[in-house]
């Protein structure tokens, strides 16, 4: 199964072995040690027994399919707004401009954030506001399913954040303060890869190489292989390994804010999605702290010999820039609006 593309697919079909954190494990030291090893090594691990039932996960996937099966003109009525809520069409996102020449990702998506009513003062914040919802007549029960998932996934993320805090020698609730996950920015993103065959040498990807922006991402996928990670982005050639889906598990990865927080001790690893011709669905849940949270080097991650590598930055400032760098300007879609 070898090919000779210059872009890193020349490796054999290699599947990564990731540590698995069992959230029902009462031996917290064991979980901390497994997680720490994963965060130092590649920033990716599985989480199982997380409390969200398989039955409910199946329902979320079924509702995600219902949305993407709508005709394009129906989906364009739900087009994402400047608050990053709603539908993102195929090619909307360009994650890896160096390698994705003139095209974007071959995926469509749907963003659902923290629901904040228009008349709430918090709705002025860039990542807070009302969501875009399909009408109940179009997709019955859809909003309820997604709101429930949003809520339950946040609890999973908080449980993982406790273990991360311990692994960084912080107090267990370090990330649970109001200015962090007490009032977080958390975004659910449904994704649909339409079955395009990726071709790295032509710059065609399901999702281009990127690292996530925030604290952590929880990812649920169907059973179609596609996600790849690159543990060393500076290696030439880059080595890409597949992450195999495990039924019922979340694949969890660390984001760039945690890398900054931890002074690069914990890794936010480059990853991408290659299409193999099969349709694929995944559900990402991006967890970031409060808008005003100052992401600055943790006390346990610096010393005289190892000073902070990054200046402190406000979460919302950082996140706004990252979205701007990777998403098509909304004015491109003006021709679709009536
Ligand atoms: C992402 C992402 C992977 C996937 O949305 O940031 O990396 O398998 N998704 O869809
Ligand atoms: Ni990602």
């Amino acid at each position: 199964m070898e090919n000779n593309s210059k872009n890193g697919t020349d490796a054999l079909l290699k599947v990564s072995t990731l540590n698995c954190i069992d959230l029902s494990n009462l031996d917290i030291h064991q979980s901390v040690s497994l997680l720490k090893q994963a965060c130092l090594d590649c920033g990716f691990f599985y989480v199982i027994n997380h409390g969200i039932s398989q039955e409910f996960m199946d329902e979320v996937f079924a509702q995600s399919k219902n949305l993407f099966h709508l005709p394009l003109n129906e989906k364009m009525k739900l087009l994402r707004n400047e608050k990053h809520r709603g539908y993102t069409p195929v090619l909307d996102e360009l994650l890896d401009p160096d390698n994705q020449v003139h095209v974007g990702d071959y995926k469509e998506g749907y963003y659902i954030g923290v629901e904040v009513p228009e008349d709430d003062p918090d709705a002025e914040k860039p990542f807070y506001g009302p969501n875009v919802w399909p009408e109940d007549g179009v997709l019955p029960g859809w909003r309820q399913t997604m709101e429930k998932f949003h809520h339950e996934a946040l609890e999973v993320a908080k449980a993982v954040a406790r273990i991360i805090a311990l692994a960084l020698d912080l107090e267990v609730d370090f990330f649970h303060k109001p200015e962090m996950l007490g009032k977080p920015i958390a975004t659910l993103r449904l994704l649909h890869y339409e079955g395009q065959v990726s071709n790295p040498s032509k710059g065609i990807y399901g999702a281009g190489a990127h690292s996530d922006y925030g604290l952590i991402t929880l990812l649920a996928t169907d059973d179609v292989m596609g996600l790849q990670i690159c543990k060393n982005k500076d290696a030439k050639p880059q080595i890409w390994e597949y992450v195999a889906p495990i039924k019922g598990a979340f694949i969890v990865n660390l984001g760039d804010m945690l890398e900054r927080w931890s002074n690069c001790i914990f890794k936010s690893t480059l990853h991408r999605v290659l299409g193999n011709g099969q349709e694929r669905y995944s559900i990402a849940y991006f967890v970031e702290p409060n808008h005003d949270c100052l992401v600055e080097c943790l006390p346990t991650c610096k010393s005289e010999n190892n000073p902070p590598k990054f200046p402190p930055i406000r979460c919302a400032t950082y996140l706004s820039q990252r979205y701007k760098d990777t998403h098509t300007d909304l004015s491109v879609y003006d021709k679709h609006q009536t």
Side-chain angles (χ1 to χ4, degrees):
M1 258 284 236
E2 233 162 327
N3 71 46
N4 294 316
S5 119
K6 67 174 167 61
N7 241 321
T9 45
D10 36 342
L12 294 167
L13 201 142
K14 194 172 169 188
V15 179
S16 197
T17 317
L18 302 181
N19 283 358
C20 187
I21 314 299
D22 179 347
L23 286 188
S24 68
N25 185 355
L26 297 176
D27 183 352
I28 190 74
H29 297 294
Q30 188 182 37
S31 298
V32 170
S33 144
L34 281 169
L35 178 139
K36 187 168 179 174
Q37 194 187 33
C39 294
L40 295 172
D41 175 41
C42 67
F44 269 79
F45 50 90
Y46 296 107
V47 166
I48 57 167
N49 294 324
H50 43 64
I52 303 185
S53 72
Q54 188 60 48
E55 195 185 12
F56 183 55
M57 287 304 300
D58 292 344
E59 181 185 325
V60 182
F61 272 96
Q63 286 286 32
S64 169
K65 283 184 192 172
N66 291 340
L67 176 103
F68 291 120
H69 285 169
L70 291 175
L72 185 61
N73 67 331
E74 283 292 327
K75 290 186 281 195
M76 287 310 276
K77 289 182 196 161
L78 305 167
L79 186 69
R80 102 182 131 84
N81 57 27
E82 60 295 331
K83 295 271 181 174
H84 311 289
R85 309 299 174 94
Y87 178 64
T88 58
V90 172
L91 304 184
D92 182 66
E93 201 174 347
L94 185 60
L95 282 169
D96 182 11
D98 293 341
N99 287 305
Q100 291 176 288
V101 188
H102 301 312
V103 289
D105 285 357
Y106 281 89
K107 66 174 197 269
E108 51 180 350
Y110 202 94
Y111 281 119
I112 302 162
V114 176
E115 177 79 21
V116 176
E118 200 113 49
D119 57 3
D120 187 311
D122 265 353
E124 282 173 25
K125 300 183 168 159
F127 294 93
Y128 273 177
N131 281 301
V132 175
W133 297 112
E135 282 174 32
D136 215 40
V138 178
L139 294 175
W142 201 86
R143 174 174 177 169
Q144 286 75 1
T145 301
M146 295 308 159
E147 287 192 319
K148 182 172 168 201
F149 181 77
H150 202 292
H151 183 78
E152 293 197 2
L154 186 58
E155 293 310 307
V156 177
K158 284 183 175 170
V160 174
R162 282 201 169 85
I163 307 175
I164 292 177
L166 293 174
L168 287 166
D169 294 324
L170 302 164
E171 73 267 28
V172 64
D173 284 336
F174 179 86
F175 293 109
H176 289 61
K177 302 183 188 103
E179 71 272 23
M180 295 199 189
L181 298 183
K183 216 172 172 190
I185 301 171
T187 306
L188 166 58
R189 192 174 193 200
L190 309 173
L191 292 163
H192 175 217
Y193 299 86
E194 283 179 327
Q196 175 95 17
V197 180
S198 294
N199 186 341
S201 65
K202 292 207 171 122
I204 296 174
Y205 300 91
H210 67 283
S211 50
D212 293 350
Y213 319 145
L215 177 68
I216 54 172
T217 305
L218 312 182
L219 181 77
T221 77
D222 64 12
D223 54 9
V224 179
M225 199 83 123
L227 176 66
Q228 294 187 317
I229 62 174
C230 172
K231 290 187 188 171
N232 179 2
K233 62 176 185 302
D234 300 319
K236 288 197 176 74
Q238 290 180 331
I239 310 287
W240 290 90
E241 300 175 22
Y242 278 98
V243 175
I246 296 185
K247 183 117 181 127
F250 280 114
I251 297 162
V252 178
N253 64 292
L254 312 183
D256 295 335
M257 281 189 212
L258 188 51
E259 191 174 84
R260 287 177 79 106
W261 242 319
S262 71
N263 216 10
C264 297
I265 292 175
F266 279 7
K267 304 275 183 313
S268 168
T269 291
L270 209 56
H271 54 284
R272 68 185 187 186
V273 176
L274 292 194
N276 63 5
Q278 274 174 289
E279 204 180 14
R280 179 173 180 273
Y281 289 88
S282 65
I283 298 171
Y285 189 74
F286 302 107
V287 184
E288 290 111 21
N290 189 285
H291 281 78
D292 292 319
C293 178
L294 200 63
V295 178
E296 66 179 326
C297 184
L298 295 164
T300 52
C301 298
K302 62 181 173 189
S303 65
E304 217 164 286
N305 299 330
N306 184 25
K309 294 181 173 60
F310 308 96
I313 191 161
R314 201 176 147 255
C315 168
T317 311
Y318 182 74
L319 211 50
S320 295
Q321 190 57 48
R322 295 296 300 270
Y323 271 83
K324 197 161 162 281
D325 290 345
T326 50
H327 288 68
T328 302
D329 193 285
L330 275 174
S331 62
V332 167
Y333 298 111
D334 285 352
K335 63 180 187 305
H336 293 283
Q337 322 274 285
T338 44

